[in-house]
Amino acid sequence: MRRNGKCVYEEYSVIQNERNEIYTCSWQKKSHFEKERKIEAMITNEQAFLRIIEDFGSFDKYIWHFSRSKTMVYPSHQKHLCTHNALSNKVAKDLKKRGFKYVGSGIIYS
């Protein structure tokens, strides 16, 4: 999302002005983003994302700090379907604490 209203997603533009008023325009087709609270959550997530970059230097560094910069391999997950684990639970909980919306352990794990 951009405050100047440029499209990030092809379906629409979101504009947030200086008074934090949110406008949507250029709807080309209906999508699950149509609901206002999901659009607001996208803006909230963008703001939280930018705060993480300020705190850690990059979102990449933030994510890697959970595993101490080591790739995690779970051989048991190749044999059994898994939708989340302790690490994805920890990351999702931290993202929510930092203000992210619509993010859960399953999304992080995938």
Side-chain angles (χ1 to χ4, degrees):
M1 271 228 231
R2 306 251 189 264
R3 288 196 180 93
N4 65 5
K6 290 186 178 178
C7 288
V8 172
Y9 298 97
E10 293 178 13
E11 290 86 11
Y12 64 90
S13 296
V14 175
I15 301 168
Q16 183 177 17
N17 67 16
E18 299 78 32
R19 295 176 300 227
N20 280 339
E21 297 170 333
I22 299 168
Y23 300 93
T24 60
C25 57
S26 302
W27 290 96
Q28 295 177 7
K29 62 182 179 178
K30 293 185 184 264
S31 71
H32 67 281
F33 293 115
E34 185 173 326
K35 297 200 183 290
E36 185 175 323
R37 62 190 178 128
K38 289 205 176 182
I39 293 169
E40 290 172 352
M42 290 170 64
I43 293 168
T44 299
N45 288 353
E46 177 193 16
Q47 293 166 343
F49 182 83
L50 293 174
R51 284 192 301 274
I52 286 174
I53 291 171
E54 286 177 16
D55 293 346
F56 288 84
S58 73
F59 191 76
D60 181 67
K61 288 178 184 175
Y62 166 74
I63 290 297
W64 280 106
H65 98 273
F66 288 99
S67 67
R68 297 186 179 111
S69 298
K70 302 220 184 316
T71 301
M72 308 301 282
V73 178
Y74 300 96
S76 64
H77 293 192
Q78 295 174 358
K79 296 177 185 175
H80 302 97
L81 292 177
C82 186
T83 59
H84 61 87
N85 63 14
L87 180 58
S88 66
N89 292 343
K90 183 177 180 179
V91 174
K93 184 176 181 180
D94 191 71
L95 287 170
K96 288 178 185 177
K97 183 180 86 175
R98 293 175 182 278
F100 278 78
K101 307 289 183 201
Y102 295 102
V103 62
S105 186
I107 291 171
I108 299 303
Y109 185 81
S110 64

